[in-house]
Amino acid sequence: MAYGDKLFWLSVLIQRRYAQICAEHDLTSTQATLLCAIKDEPRRMSYLATALGMTKNALSQLVDRIERRDLVSRVSSEQDRRVIMLGVTPAGKVLAEAVYAETTRRLPDIAENLDAEGRREFERVATAVVDASGVLSSTS
């Protein structure tokens, strides 16, 4: 199996585990990702659409669904009233923190069949890939 094939199946393993965790919290993966993206601070809707790879319309529909569950709220920016910010409600914060904690606790289980050295190497490579991608700097 080629390298690209391995990465494809690794992606499937990660997505499947994440979807299981989200479902246990009565969320879709996309809903949970959105909540986790705003759990620490409100974000501009335009930023979230770009960060999540969604159209503004698709994001708005997603927000409508979880807003009805009282997990998020839209507010105008204090600097520019035309800018819409999305933040978590207290209930959304609790749920986002729970999903995030559960994900970070259980996602490493995908490497449970590796020996200790293999798990350390997997962690090293995963860390290097994420650090080099810049994804963490774009969310902070």
Side-chain angles (χ1 to χ4, degrees):
M1 197 179 290
Y3 176 62
D5 294 330
K6 299 287 186 180
L7 289 176
F8 170 80
W9 288 111
L10 177 60
S11 171
V12 169
L13 286 171
I14 292 170
Q15 290 176 62
R16 186 182 322 155
R17 178 62 49 91
Y18 185 57
Q20 290 169 343
I21 294 165
C22 296
E24 290 167 9
H25 290 86
D26 195 29
L27 293 168
T28 66
S29 297
T30 307
Q31 290 171 337
T33 301
L34 175 62
L35 286 176
C36 289
I38 61 173
K39 71 181 177 56
D40 295 324
E41 64 180 306
R43 304 254 187 214
R44 294 171 80 132
M45 291 280 286
S46 58
Y47 165 83
L48 291 166
T50 301
L52 298 175
M54 302 176 80
T55 65
K56 290 179 183 176
N57 187 46
L59 176 63
S60 188
Q61 290 175 6
L62 172 65
V63 170
D64 288 345
R65 288 190 296 277
I66 60 175
E67 193 173 37
R68 285 192 292 272
R69 293 180 58 187
D70 194 34
L71 300 176
V72 298
S73 63
R74 295 178 230 218
V75 294
S76 296
S77 167
E78 291 179 13
Q79 292 82 14
D80 184 344
R81 305 301 263 159
R82 298 169 296 177
V83 173
I84 303 299
M85 304 290 289
L86 187 69
V88 289
T89 62
K93 173 87 170 162
V94 168
L95 191 54
E97 294 286 353
V99 168
Y100 191 84
E102 191 69 10
T103 301
T104 59
R105 185 181 71 76
R106 289 176 43 196
L107 203 53
D109 291 349
I110 64 167
E112 67 189 354
N113 292 327
L114 299 176
D115 61 19
E117 185 175 331
R119 285 190 301 275
R120 282 191 299 276
E121 181 65 7
F122 186 76
E123 180 180 354
R124 185 192 69 72
V125 170
T127 299
V129 169
V130 170
D131 289 351
S133 75
V135 70
L136 294 179
S137 62
S138 69
T139 59
S140 54

